Amino acid sequence: MQERARDLRGGCGRGDRLPAVRQLADDVWQLSGLPANGVNAYVVGDVLIDAGTRLDRGRILKQVRDRGLTTHVLTHAHPDHYGSSHAVCDALGLPLWCGAADAEAVENGRIVGPNDRTLPGPQAHPVARRLHEGDEVAGFTVLDTPGHSPGHVSYWRESDRTLICGDVMWGWHPFLLRGGLREPIALFSPDVARNRESARRIAALEPALACFGHGPPLRDPAKLAAAVAKLPG
Ligand SMILES: [Zn+2]
């Protein structure tokens, strides 16, 4: 499917124009942000996947307010992925779901850092459902892809080979906003070796469309496989 921008007009006031939400595949949209592809959040069906940093609250609410969302889920419990989760769930009355092994961090407003030490994170929020391998979310299957966080999950739709994979791999360097596919900086992954196993797992799926936490969507499974093949061990 060709990527196309859709202008959605909101109900916030006459002439208000919401930022363009980009449809990537059937029932899959990427929210816009500044810079584009910097910190990604996606809507699949009626589910919001990830909610950026705490500074992303406004832009996310603007773009999803009229979309009839029923649920908010996470790829992982890092501050650039659940930073606005509490605010969005509160504003829209959504339950929050995340990978089982990340639930404690979310419920305590923490993140799991190196050596499994926890550090202060975004605003805490109750987790209504702990996700496990094989669960279904809006037509996607939950895959356990730990390493970058203990409970990191990805969302996979076999029928059109669409993958939403959080930070198992970065689509580019999130601070430089350029460069090619890469593994996340080791400092941010409490278990680098495990994350590499997760990266090999997602590359082996040969996703026709891979949607990252940072960086533009990728429609080139060979490119993903080549980047993952270069990882040590
Ligand atoms: Zn991230």
Side-chain angles (χ1 to χ4, degrees):
M1 160 182 256
Q2 279 291 90
E3 282 163 29
R4 58 183 187 267
R6 281 194 173 176
D7 286 338
L8 300 176
R9 284 174 196 279
C12 321
R14 197 169 41 189
D16 260 2
R17 190 165 187 176
L18 294 182
V21 174
R22 186 160 63 140
Q23 184 163 20
L24 301 178
D26 284 345
D27 266 348
V28 179
W29 295 268
Q30 179 185 11
L31 302 192
S32 70
L34 278 176
N37 304 310
V39 174
N40 291 322
Y42 301 92
V43 170
V44 297
D46 55 5
V47 174
L48 171 67
I49 300 184
D50 287 344
T53 72
R54 64 189 178 85
L55 302 176
D56 291 310
R57 173 184 184 273
R59 65 126 171 153
I60 289 174
L61 280 172
K62 246 191 206 173
Q63 294 177 74
V64 304
R65 200 179 278 286
D66 298 323
R67 299 186 74 89
L69 297 183
T70 64
T71 310
H72 171 35
V73 303
L74 303 178
T75 57
H76 63 294
H78 279 182
D80 52 331
H81 295 260
Y82 85 104
S84 291
S85 291
H86 173 75
V88 170
C89 287
D90 257 17
L92 302 180
L94 305 177
L96 177 62
W97 302 352
C98 73
D102 273 8
E104 197 181 321
V106 173
E107 293 198 320
N108 291 300
R110 308 287 292 179
I111 59 172
V112 177
N115 303 316
D116 291 333
R117 285 218 321 265
T118 69
L119 306 164
Q123 204 167 352
H125 195 82
V127 174
R129 181 179 168 197
R130 287 157 166 72
L131 295 172
H132 297 274
E133 171 84 20
D135 285 347
E136 200 201 303
V137 173
F140 282 70
T141 303
V142 172
L143 306 180
D144 280 334
T145 48
H148 184 65
S149 77
H152 191 298
V153 294
S154 298
Y155 300 92
W156 168 241
R157 188 168 66 188
E158 175 85 35
S159 59
D160 65 349
R161 314 195 74 73
T162 294
L163 176 73
I164 296 172
C165 59
D167 288 3
V168 174
M169 290 288 282
W170 281 344
W172 64 14
H173 194 299
F175 302 129
L176 305 176
L177 303 175
R178 59 185 163 76
L181 286 161
R182 65 197 58 220
E183 67 178 333
I185 293 171
L187 180 66
F188 298 147
S189 296
D191 192 335
V192 172
R194 237 177 146 199
N195 186 60
R196 286 177 184 153
E197 282 171 32
S198 294
R200 286 188 272 274
R201 181 179 188 198
I202 63 161
L205 295 171
E206 300 181 2
L209 168 64
C211 305
F212 305 100
H214 310 281
L218 177 73
R219 296 178 188 276
D220 188 344
K223 212 172 191 172
L224 177 62
V228 169
K230 278 192 230 151
L231 299 178

